[in-house]
Amino acid sequence: MREEEEISGRVSLRGFRLRQILIKSSSDMQIIRSVGELTDYVAKQKNNRHSIGFVPTMGALHAGHISLVERAVKENAVTVVSVFVNPTQFNNPEDLATYPRTEEADIRLLAKAGVSAVFVPTVKEIYPDGAHTVKTYDLGSVAEVMEGKHRPGHFQGVAQVVHRLFELVNPDRAYFGEKDFQQIAVIRSMVASEHLDVEIVPCPIRRADDGLALSSRNTLLTPDQRMRAPGIYEALKDSVEYSLNHSVRATHDTVVERIDAIPEMKVEYFEIVDARTLMPVEEWDEASEVQGCITVFNGKVRLIDNIRYR
Ligand code: AMP
């Protein structure tokens, strides 16, 4: 039995809240590398009726990830974070090869944030029968547009790993960042089609002081590219006011022209969509919630961002 559980056992009559606080105040985070250990850990939490919050990540952690983790720690008895660079969601081998990996620093950050267990598996551990021998998920139309169109196979890979991790961790709640706006819709779709019992909790985008959406890939930018990168959010932010007296088309074009004018930057796509269905809108009043989703190549680094219009 872990020390904090013994303590919480002794004071359990004083109530559930105190017990939760004691569990969370331990910095004794478990580092789990195998599916077997994880299964045992999860079974123990379920036996103790501890609610499980889960934050799946690919590591190279920054304050954006930590904001999800802090929310999970606040809302659940235990929080499990996975750090796994999932090869099946990369459609570009160079992107996979250059993806930043900072395991030691990640583990330190997670321990400090009050995480109960971090799961750091190998590819073999996640896909014992090989990564490409698994089924195809029914993800619906939300997976066909934008990232789905430009990164073939990406969302199948995301669904594959998130489904596998959900099976292993069996969380009550799972936390996802709105930076990957479309990903949340795709995960919800997978959860519905697989009849999974997990609450998907969307969390707001965390930005650097200069407005750039925090991303593990930001570390791959040259100093000049990093200096110019806030231009993406500036164009998006200014376009919200512009949209109040301009058409969807004009708003779209002004964003693309402004970002394409920045050295080394090229918009891959910018779509103004119904925030629920992710289908493009032509008029502002076509949907009750309208989102602008953008992908920009800054040199070779692909950055994504999004903004709410209505
Ligand atoms: P990743 O490690 O990029 O797969 O991201 C893991 C989770 O962190 C995903 O749910 C992301 O949407 C979320 N995330 C990444 N960057 C940010 C950010 N700047 N703000 C909020 N959430 C983020």
Side-chain angles (χ1 to χ4, degrees):
M1 192 185 266
R2 287 166 65 196
E3 194 186 325
E4 76 275 19
E5 281 169 350
E6 279 175 55
I7 297 167
S8 69
R10 284 203 296 273
V11 296
S12 64
L13 290 177
R14 287 199 220 153
F16 181 66
R17 269 312 289 168
L18 184 52
R19 187 172 177 200
Q20 274 194 324
I21 290 164
L22 285 168
I23 290 164
K24 286 171 187 174
S25 65
S26 166
S27 62
D28 168 24
M29 179 178 76
Q30 297 209 10
I31 301 170
I32 298 176
R33 295 188 185 271
S34 75
V35 164
E37 280 171 276
L38 180 64
T39 308
D40 290 348
Y41 178 83
V42 168
K44 201 165 137 200
Q45 305 313 318
K46 297 280 169 188
N47 272 342
N48 290 334
R49 298 190 187 289
H50 289 160
S51 62
I52 300 180
F54 177 47
V55 185
T57 81
M58 296 205 298
L61 301 181
H62 50 66
H65 297 110
I66 299 304
S67 68
L68 273 56
V69 168
E70 284 173 349
R71 176 131 182 226
V73 168
K74 222 180 271 168
E75 295 180 352
N76 301 277
V78 295
T79 293
V80 177
V81 176
S82 61
V83 173
F84 178 62
V85 181
N86 173 36
T88 72
Q89 71 188 70
F90 284 80
N91 54 322
N92 175 349
E94 197 187 335
D95 188 21
L96 175 60
T98 58
Y99 200 83
R101 293 163 198 252
T102 58
E103 187 183 304
E104 248 176 65
D106 292 348
I107 288 174
R108 267 200 308 274
L109 276 176
L110 294 174
K112 211 169 124 209
V115 166
S116 325
V118 58
F119 180 45
V120 199
T122 58
V123 174
K124 185 94 184 117
E125 201 68 31
I126 291 291
Y127 304 120
D129 303 323
H132 294 286
T133 57
V134 289
K135 68 174 186 172
T136 307
Y137 290 87
D138 173 14
L139 302 174
S141 54
V142 292
E144 301 299 318
V145 294
M146 300 193 286
E147 292 296 277
K149 217 187 300 170
H150 288 87
R151 300 184 71 187
H154 168 65
F155 283 132
Q156 284 298 330
V158 170
Q160 180 185 11
V161 75
V162 173
H163 187 219
R164 171 93 170 118
L165 291 168
F166 279 4
E167 273 182 341
L168 296 172
V169 177
N170 196 359
D172 296 275
R173 298 179 195 86
Y175 297 78
F176 291 89
E178 285 177 336
K179 182 171 86 73
D180 300 279
F181 191 79
Q182 185 176 9
Q183 176 170 271
I184 296 180
V186 171
I187 299 292
R188 287 192 198 280
S189 179
M190 186 273 284
V191 164
S193 70
E194 296 294 318
H195 309 289
L196 304 181
D197 185 17
V198 51
E199 183 190 342
I200 302 302
V201 184
C203 303
I205 303 178
R206 286 290 299 266
R207 299 181 179 281
D209 289 345
D210 59 15
L212 177 65
L214 296 177
S215 165
S216 306
R217 289 187 177 88
N218 290 349
T219 58
L220 303 174
L221 298 169
T222 65
D224 279 348
Q225 289 166 350
R226 174 63 189 84
M227 191 188 65
R228 294 188 288 254
I232 300 168
Y233 182 55
E234 275 161 32
L236 289 176
K237 207 169 40 157
D238 291 350
S239 76
V240 174
E241 201 179 330
Y242 184 89
S243 77
L244 298 176
N245 44 25
H246 290 86
S247 68
V248 170
R249 168 69 25 209
T251 304
H252 170 275
D253 292 350
T254 189
V255 167
V256 175
E257 278 162 27
R258 196 165 148 185
I259 295 174
D260 278 350
I262 303 171
E264 295 194 71
M265 289 222 202
K266 177 80 191 128
V267 174
E268 185 182 39
Y269 68 78
F270 176 47
E271 294 203 17
I272 298 178
V273 300
D274 179 327
R276 210 173 36 84
T277 64
L278 305 188
M279 292 302 137
V281 297
E282 285 175 9
E283 305 293 337
W284 292 115
D285 58 5
E286 231 172 86
S288 56
E289 295 177 344
V290 178
Q291 202 82 13
C293 299
I294 197 161
T295 302
V296 180
F297 275 101
N298 187 355
K300 279 186 164 181
V301 184
R302 191 174 181 274
L303 301 177
I304 70 172
D305 204 342
N306 64 82
I307 200 151
R308 173 60 54 95
Y309 284 107
R310 302 282 190 272

